[in-house]
Amino acid sequence: MTIAPSEHAPAAAPAGRGTTDQTGRTRPGRRRLLTRTSVPYLLIMPAVLGFVIFKAYPIVASLWISLTTGNGAGRHFTGLDNYQRLLHDPLFWTALENTALILVVQVPLMLGLALLVALGLNSTKVWLRPLWRLGVFIPSLTGLVAAGVMFSVILNRDAGLLNWVLSLFGIDRVNWLGSPFWARVGVVLVITWHYTGYNAVIYLAGLQGIPQELYEAAKVDGAGPIRRFVSITLPQLRPILLLTVVLSTIGTLQLFDEPYVLTGGGPDNSTLTVTMYLYNNGFKYFDFGYASALAYALALIVAVLGLLQVRLMGERK
Amino acid sequence: MSHQLSRRRLLQLATASAAGLGLAACGDNGSGSAGGDGDSGKITVWSWTTAAEGLRSVVPSFERDNPGITVEVQDVGNPAIWDKITVGLASGGKGLADVLHIGVDYLPGYLDKFPNGIADLSKFGADNYQAAFAKGLWPTVTGKGKAAHALPWEVNPLGLFYRHDHFEKAGVDPDGISDWNDMTAAGSKILDATGVRLLGLDKTGATQDMDFFQNLMQLQDVFYFDQAGKITLASPAAVKALTIIKRLNDAGLIADTAGQGTEKRLLSQGKLATYAEAAWAVEYLASTFPEQKGMWRSMQPPAAVPGGKRNTIVNSTYLAVSGSSTRRKAAWQFIEYALTKPAQINRIFASGGVFPALKAAYDDPRFSAPHPFYGGQKVLRPFVESLSADARATNFTGDYARALKFASDAQSQVLLKGADPADALKKAAEQLAQQTGRQQAA
């Protein structure tokens, strides 16, 4: 098989093969697999196939399953029953409340911290910057389950490292995983530890893309460091900030691994998230119809929040 | 290919083939793909840890006695095995092993939710063994129908293991304890004398540590559901069980075992005076804490109510054949060989400490032998005797996992927030009814 020659070097076509015109398109009646227009499609074919098999099909199948109930293949159509049931399920609302609480508290905290870290790493006054950057990024390379197990040991009330450190300062042991309030704090702690460095690296890339001339011009105009941060850094970072806010929101709404390993959703459902509840319904209770309805409810919430954020934070025309 | 593809044609082909592959890959959504009754070839077995180890011990003799069949026992791990089996059943049996080791807490759910997922073993003659196993287990293998879908492997009669040295130091005579009122009083004496708490529970509910609550219910012949499948989670017996736990907690006798490895650590440090567990714990304690040799003893569990019964079957596990297996007969032959022959089941017991459900196994001298770890006590005998006395079937139903969740929430509310047991269980039972569509028993 031959690649079609470019328009700059038109070649006489062998008998039985087509030729290409100056736009690279084949003339009618020509037979050739690899042309400049078909090659890109062939190249993206594996990704498209993977998407269709492992994403598109399950998404469509899940929508159908959410409208049914029953066992195994003996499913029968029940319309919106699962969605109605969801509206009257106190545990769903508890899970949604917990997820929202973690979202409202943890995302701003983590992104604020990530921005501070990025500003520090961007400073020319910091020694051994590559080493610090590496150190900040390493937690995000840790497996989520491993992080959860590690923190469950650190936060153990009787034998945990954190309580031992606190006891050195004469502070009473905290029941990190045994009280609803502190368990939530524990989950926020793990997520913040895991993702702050990741977001800091994204911000760092954004900071390094801001032209220095802007800062120099502002200095000439007499702007101080805070004024420069507010008037130059933040506006220039807007697209990056939007990206991290949207990604973190989606990530938090899909929070599963950390509470699953750390608290199992307890104590008394205080760290139960929507995704955990979805998992329980699917894989513990075998209630696939209801689990699919939960998945779609969550997807809807994610979509609405994402759109809202893009609207509120996006570029104003 | 020798002909030119247009862009549109290329996309059409891609979409069609991907959709076809996707549909093919996703199977029939739990209908149980058609298996076969092959009686030779290689069969795989899914089990976990020590049970898998025990099962491997019978493979050489089975393969010798059944030429043409080879067996591979895979230690899938627990709880990972439940996700693997569930996903396999949900996808029409794809990727499942031929033989599955399933606990009583999952088997009814699988039979209920995946009607063709587990093979009917009655046609191979499983019913012939109905009387061969400890009482109270057969209803679990038949589920709602009449056909047997598994054979009982392990049975777990309840016991109470206690630290003889702590009891002695506190001047507590175990023979004087007949119910949990006595044990609560004894626990306070032990706490005062040794600083050691009576037992451990995960108060947070993270691990749904409900065995103790269930045992207290089962000692009163009650569970989350009655034999008709109606909800009994708010029954007086259930309230009594949770009240006992509340009293123990209020008296400071329960150590919180929340967190990875906490219970094991407390046991190794000698900080728990009792271990309310089933027969499997006989070998677990001996092999996990060999340095505590001679310190432990076993007794019948105290009754939940004064004058109440002191024996119950806590749980059990089974071997089943997946409906999608193409070698169902060979798989059945392996199950029959491993679970219905006293010599083989005792070989498994010796290798993995899995307490056999086969009654004929108990004639073996090991079940009457003094155990050095327990100070020479004939520790297995009481467990065997408790099986023959008034053993009732527990109806786990297909909604056990949901019941466990709501009960665990109720227990956490009582232990962490001081909630009233009756109120907490009433709320739990209502939620369970709402989510399952089951009625509450009168």
Side-chain angles (χ1 to χ4, degrees), chain A residues 31-32 41 268-269 279, chain B residues 3-4 7 405 409 417:
Chain A
R31 297 177 152 272
R32 185 177 295 167
Y41 288 108
D268 192 21
N269 296 316
Y279 169 86
Chain B
H3 60 278
Q4 172 104 21
R7 192 177 349 186
K405 164 70 184 154
D409 289 349
K417 298 175 177 176

Side-chain angles (χ1 to χ4, degrees), chain B residues 125 179 188 285 432:
Chain B
D179 57 47
S188 296
L285 289 173
L432 184 58

